[in-house]
């Protein structure tokens, strides 16, 4: 997969490929969530709370919430955890795991999505899944979630999502991770569904190509826009949550943007526009918090030094 303009950190408008990726993600999300829609709403409904918060507004079915995944809902990058699980099942060699480890170490140290490393991770993932059946990867993904992802969900962000579910609203993940992986995570968390990068498949077998481009930056905004139109949502009444300045297009699309565990650029941008912020990495509470949340978890540490050492030995 060739490097594309979306990988640069500067903001840019959506291209035709961004629109295609967004529309493909919205279509895939609606298909995968349709069967579970009633169950998800029942799971998220609670009428016994002593009082409803001002936001989200209970019963406002034209409102929904959109959550970025990596470092917003989950500590670290979902694609790395998925790669660890595939390596355990001998989908690829140790040198490929070293590359995944280095990408994750960089992500955890920097706290932001680095374009070069994110591109490398996605190229690796596409080459690994090529020729495998979608059903096979979905089944394995369920196991990988239990092994590597379940314990890495931020409790505070999970509480924010639950607040929307309790209000009777739909909650969607919006991520550059493969839509199949994102759908598994959304289902396990009791969310409505997921918008993710759509990998092309023919007769249920991955071709090693993408539909459009990875769901990143402007493509995320296009996916949310397409889903909102299909679901008859009022974006001014919707909320979006992210840690990355790359998601400013998506955050700017809704009436209630939230910066969660924000990188430096997003924190500055959010403060200038009076957006709400919360940082679960240190337990700090920003002054503007509109929804009650669980206590934050500690800073990430485990595995980083080992990954860096492994990378140095392999060089």
């Amino acid at each position: 997969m060739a490097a594309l303009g979306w990988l640069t950190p500067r903001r840019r408008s959506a291209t035709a490929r961004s629109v295609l990726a967004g529309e493909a993600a919205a279509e895939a999300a609606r298909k995968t969530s349709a069967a579970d829609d009633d169950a998800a709403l029942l799971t998220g409904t609670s009428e016994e709370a002593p009082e409803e918060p001002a936001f989200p507004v209970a019963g406002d079915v034209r409102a929904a919430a959109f959550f970025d995944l990596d470092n917003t809902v989950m500590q670290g990058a979902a694609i790395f955890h998925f790669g660890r699980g595939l390596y355990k099942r001998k989908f690829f060699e140790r040198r490929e795991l070293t590359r995944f480890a280095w990408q994750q170490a960089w992500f955890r140290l920097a706290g932001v999505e680095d374009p070069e490393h994110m591109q490398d991770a996605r190229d690796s993932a596409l080459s690994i899944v090529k020729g495998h059946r979608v059903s096979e990867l979905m089944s394995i993904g369920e196991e990988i979630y239990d092994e590597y992802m379940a314990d890495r969900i931020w409790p505070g962000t999970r509480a924010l999502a639950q607040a929307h579910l309790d209000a009777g609203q739909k909650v969607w993940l919006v991520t550059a991770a493969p839509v199949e992986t994102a759908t598994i995570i959304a289902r396990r968390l009791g969310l409505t569904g997921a918008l993710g990068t759509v990998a092309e498949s023919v007769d249920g077998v991955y071709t090693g190509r993408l539909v459009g481009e990875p769901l990143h930056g402007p493509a995320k905004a296009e996916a949310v826009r397409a889903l909102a139109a299909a679901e008859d949502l009022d974006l001014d009444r919707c909320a979006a949550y992210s840690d990355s300045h790359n998601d400013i297009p998506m955050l700017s699309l809704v009436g209630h943007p939230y910066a969660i565990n924000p990188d430096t650029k997003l924190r500055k941008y959010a403060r200038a526009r009076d957006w709400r912020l919360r940082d679960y990495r240190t337990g700090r509470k920003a002054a503007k918090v509109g929804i009650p949340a669980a206590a934050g978890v500690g800073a990430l540490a485990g595995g980083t030094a080992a990954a860096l050492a492994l990378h140095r030995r392999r060089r």
Side-chain angles (χ1 to χ4, degrees), residues 238-259:
C238 292
Y241 302 79
S242 179
D243 71 297
S244 174
H245 69 279
N246 293 309
D247 288 338
I248 287 175
M250 178 181 74
L251 294 169
S252 300
L253 197 61
V254 301
H256 301 278
Y258 286 74

Side-chain angles (χ1 to χ4, degrees), residues 71 75 108 154-157 260-262 267 271 277-286 294-301:
N71 212 34
Q75 302 172 35
R108 296 171 81 170
W154 292 109
T157 310
I260 305 295
N261 304 329
R267 184 182 294 274
R271 282 177 172 168
L277 298 98
R278 181 173 282 274
D279 196 326
Y280 298 112
R281 295 167 297 188
T282 62
R284 292 196 309 267
K285 285 187 178 180
V297 294
L300 297 172

Side-chain angles (χ1 to χ4, degrees), residues 129-135 199-208:
V129 302
K130 182 179 179 180
H132 289 277
R133 300 198 66 82
V134 176
S135 58
E200 182 184 77
S201 62
V202 176
D203 297 328
V205 177
Y206 289 113
T207 65

Side-chain angles (χ1 to χ4, degrees), residues 68-82 84 100 103-109 111-113 118 148-149 151-154 175 177 185 243 261 281 297-302 304:
D68 169 56
L69 177 57
D70 295 347
N71 212 34
T72 301
V73 171
M74 175 187 294
Q75 302 172 35
I79 196 170
F80 168 75
H81 300 311
F82 188 63
R84 289 177 67 192
F100 273 113
Q103 291 156 355
Q104 176 70 351
W106 179 276
F107 181 86
R108 296 171 81 170
L109 286 171
V112 296
E113 297 173 7
M118 296 300 285
Y148 298 113
M149 301 181 185
D151 293 338
R152 290 177 170 82
I153 303 300
W154 292 109
T175 173
I185 296 170
D243 71 297
N261 304 329
R281 295 167 297 188
V297 294
L300 297 172
T304 301

Side-chain angles (χ1 to χ4, degrees), residues 208-264:
R209 296 187 294 270
L210 295 181
V211 177
E213 64 183 17
L215 202 69
H216 186 276
K220 282 190 178 182
E222 292 299 327
V224 169
R225 197 191 312 274
L227 184 64
E231 296 274 316
D232 192 29
L233 300 174
D234 182 349
L235 287 171
D236 286 338
R237 288 143 69 175
C238 292
Y241 302 79
S242 179
D243 71 297
S244 174
H245 69 279
N246 293 309
D247 288 338
I248 287 175
M250 178 181 74
L251 294 169
S252 300
L253 197 61
V254 301
H256 301 278
Y258 286 74
I260 305 295
N261 304 329
D263 62 35
T264 301

Side-chain angles (χ1 to χ4, degrees), residues 71-100:
N71 212 34
T72 301
V73 171
M74 175 187 294
Q75 302 172 35
I79 196 170
F80 168 75
H81 300 311
F82 188 63
R84 289 177 67 192
L86 293 182
Y87 169 75
K88 178 181 178 181
R89 290 159 178 82
K90 303 186 184 302
F91 270 67
F92 54 92
E93 301 300 322
R94 186 175 181 83
R95 61 184 176 83
E96 295 290 338
L97 180 64
T98 303
R99 178 160 47 165
F100 273 113

Side-chain angles (χ1 to χ4, degrees), residues 27-37 138 172 179 183 187 192-194:
E27 181 180 359
R30 297 192 78 222
K31 286 180 179 178
T32 55
S33 68
D36 299 329
D37 189 55
M138 285 292 288
W172 303 85
V179 67
T183 298
R187 185 182 300 127
T192 308

